[in-house]
Structures are given as C-alpha cells and as structure tokens.
Amino acid sequence: HNAYADLYNVFGESGRFNLRGGYFYQPFGLNQQTDTHGTVLQLSNDRLFGSERDWQTALYGSLTEDLDYTVGYLLGSGPDFVMEGQTGMGVARVALNNDWLFKYGLEGGVSLAAGERVDEHAAMRGTPMTGAAMGHMAEREDPVVNTVRAGADVRKRFDSEVGPFTLTAETAVGEDEADRILSGLGQADWLHPSRRWGTAAQYQQFWQDVGDGAEDYTNERVSGVLTYYFRNDVGNANLHWIALAVERQTRQTDGPEDTVVMVQYYRYW
C-alpha cells in the first residue's frame, strides 16, 4: 500500500525543504494529493506509468507564497521493488498550495518526468504487430522503457444549494522510446447536501503512435458511478458506502469494446 518516512525541515526555512523516502504515490498530476485507493474511478498515472505508486526519494516543500514543489527520483518499478537495468526516473512538480484549495476550492499544477521504467505492457505496445515482430513481442525479455512525460492538471470545487460539484482535468504528452503518447482525463462529481448520495462521470483516453506503419494504440473509456453513503465523515475518518458503476470501453485497439458493470462495497473506520 504505502510505506515511507518523512523528514521535515531538513534545512533552511520551516516548510521549505522536507524529505520523503519509500513507497508512495508518484508526484505527477493530481495523483499524490488524491486518495483513490477506495474509489472505483482512478486518475491517469496507472496508464501513464503502468502504476500510480513507486519507490522514491523526493524533496518537497514551499516554493513561493502560492506554490509548492516536489523534485525527486523514482525507481521506475511500480509496486515491485525490481531492478531490470532501468536507470529510474527523475520527476518534478510545481502546484498551487493548500491555501488555494481552502479559499477557492482550486488545485492544479504542472509535472515533468523522464528516465527509464519497467513496464512490460508498454514495451509490447511499442513492438509493431506485423510478421516476425509478433514473435519478437511474445519473446521480448527487456521490459525497460525510455520514458518522457509532461503534464498539466486542474481541479475545481463549486459549492451550491444542491450540493458541491467538482470538475477535474488531466492531460499529458510524452514518449515511450520513440513512440509519441497523448493522455487525457475529464471527470465531474456531485455530492448531495445530505452527503448520502453522490454521482460521478469520467472520460479517459490514451493514445500511442507505435510507428513503422503499425496501427496506433488507442484506449478510450467512459465511466459513470452512483454511490449511496451509509457514513460519509467530512474528514474521511469514517466512510461506509455502496457504489454501482458502469464502464464502456468505446475504443480498444488490443481488445473488445466491452461494457463492464461493477458493484463496490467499501468501509473504512
């Protein structure tokens, strides 16, 4: 799950330089500031990097009066602490600090990542599906992928008499080896004033140009969730819900365009 240690104020002014080491959410996009471990809808990082968490060492803190920063090193192995010869990835993020969230309901930032990671699925996507290359893909033993990512994100909460609405957007561009990628996510959430009912809708798209005349890889899906909360503590200390979700894969290069129905029961206390 998570296993890390924080050292606060390692030098300089208070809050300026803090150090984190261990296994935690990648500091790219809204991932690190969003608790999605109990929700059906996820963000973009599991498709951008093959996992939403990684082994890491990172320096973070206040950059200016309005901005926070994170800069660090990711092992590039995801949940498995494995070395396949990858160099790992450098990562950096600059984002609005919590004052913007508390005062205006606004979050957002820009992120960069570059280096090598272990991802067998991404390595196979980059192998053209033609002739002898199909056999090469099946026998491929090198899962290390040269990776470059640049992303921007924003999330805004709107309070109203009928309950809060939250709009989220993430976008990223980059390369896996020499193959260009483009990722996008849009999500809308609503919570009833009683905090008993909630709905959410999400659109995700991932595109990769695999080159060499092969068909581009595309994965596109639309999801909707209806949630009933038995308990929904404002501080997220006591959560109890049941959710019904429907996901439609509208475009899928390497598989069927399926519709998936999910029922989730979740309790946290």
Side-chain angles (χ1 to χ4, degrees), residues 75 82-88 116-118 142-144:
L75 185 62
V82 296
M83 297 298 297
E84 297 284 354
Q86 80 274 20
T87 60
E116 293 180 346
R117 63 190 174 94
V118 178
D142 183 10
V144 176

Side-chain angles (χ1 to χ4, degrees), residues 121-128 140 176-177 179 208 210 212:
H121 297 290
M124 288 190 294
R125 284 201 304 267
T127 304
R140 182 160 188 159
D176 280 346
E177 300 293 338
D179 301 333
Q208 180 175 353
V210 298
D212 294 330

Side-chain angles (χ1 to χ4, degrees), residues 33-266:
Q33 60 210 70
T34 309
D35 185 1
T36 60
H37 77 271
T39 61
V40 175
L41 299 182
Q42 301 293 300
L43 294 172
S44 304
N45 283 22
D46 59 339
R47 299 193 183 189
L48 284 172
F49 300 105
S51 173
E52 63 172 356
R53 310 180 200 204
D54 207 340
W55 300 89
Q56 61 186 272
T57 300
L59 196 66
Y60 67 96
S62 300
L63 183 63
T64 69
E65 183 178 342
D66 294 311
L67 300 176
D68 289 342
Y69 77 93
T70 302
V71 59
Y73 168 81
L74 305 180
L75 185 62
S77 67
D80 300 320
F81 192 95
V82 296
M83 297 298 297
E84 297 284 354
Q86 80 274 20
T87 60
M89 295 190 298
V91 63
R93 174 168 171 78
V94 176
L96 298 174
N97 63 24
N98 284 338
D99 287 343
W100 287 79
L101 174 60
F102 298 146
K103 293 179 181 179
Y104 310 109
L106 182 63
E107 301 169 272
V110 292
S111 309
L112 295 171
E116 293 180 346
R117 63 190 174 94
V118 178
D119 190 336
E120 294 181 359
H121 297 290
M124 288 190 294
R125 284 201 304 267
T127 304
M129 298 283 287
T130 56
M134 294 183 65
H136 172 68
M137 186 187 77
E139 299 172 0
R140 182 160 188 159
E141 297 179 355
D142 183 10
V144 176
V145 180
N146 288 308
T147 301
V148 178
R149 298 286 188 269
D153 54 84
V154 63
R155 179 163 52 203
K156 180 69 171 74
R157 172 179 168 137
F158 301 89
D159 293 318
S160 73
E161 295 182 356
V162 296
F165 293 84
T166 303
L167 301 180
T168 302
E170 289 187 318
T171 185
V173 297
E175 291 184 347
D176 280 346
E177 300 293 338
D179 301 333
R180 292 173 297 152
I181 70 99
L182 174 64
S183 173
L185 178 146
Q187 182 172 323
D189 298 80
W190 169 76
L191 182 64
H192 190 270
S194 67
R195 300 184 64 83
R196 288 291 187 182
W197 291 95
T199 61
Q202 185 188 86
Y203 168 81
Q204 278 201 41
Q205 183 264 353
F206 184 90
W207 170 85
Q208 180 175 353
D209 177 11
V210 298
D212 294 330
E215 182 182 4
D216 294 346
Y217 175 84
T218 302
N219 188 298
E220 185 179 81
R221 63 182 64 182
V222 178
S223 306
V225 182
L226 175 65
T227 305
Y228 177 76
Y229 295 91
F230 301 99
R231 291 180 180 172
N232 190 8
D233 179 71
V234 175
N236 292 333
N238 194 328
L239 302 172
H240 186 191
W241 71 65
I242 186 168
L244 173 65
V246 178
E247 177 184 283
R248 174 64 180 172
Q249 298 185 21
T250 56
R251 297 179 65 188
Q252 178 89 332
T253 299
D254 58 352
E257 297 177 358
D258 287 336
T259 299
V260 181
V261 178
M262 296 166 279
V263 177
Q264 179 202 39
Y265 176 79
Y266 182 82

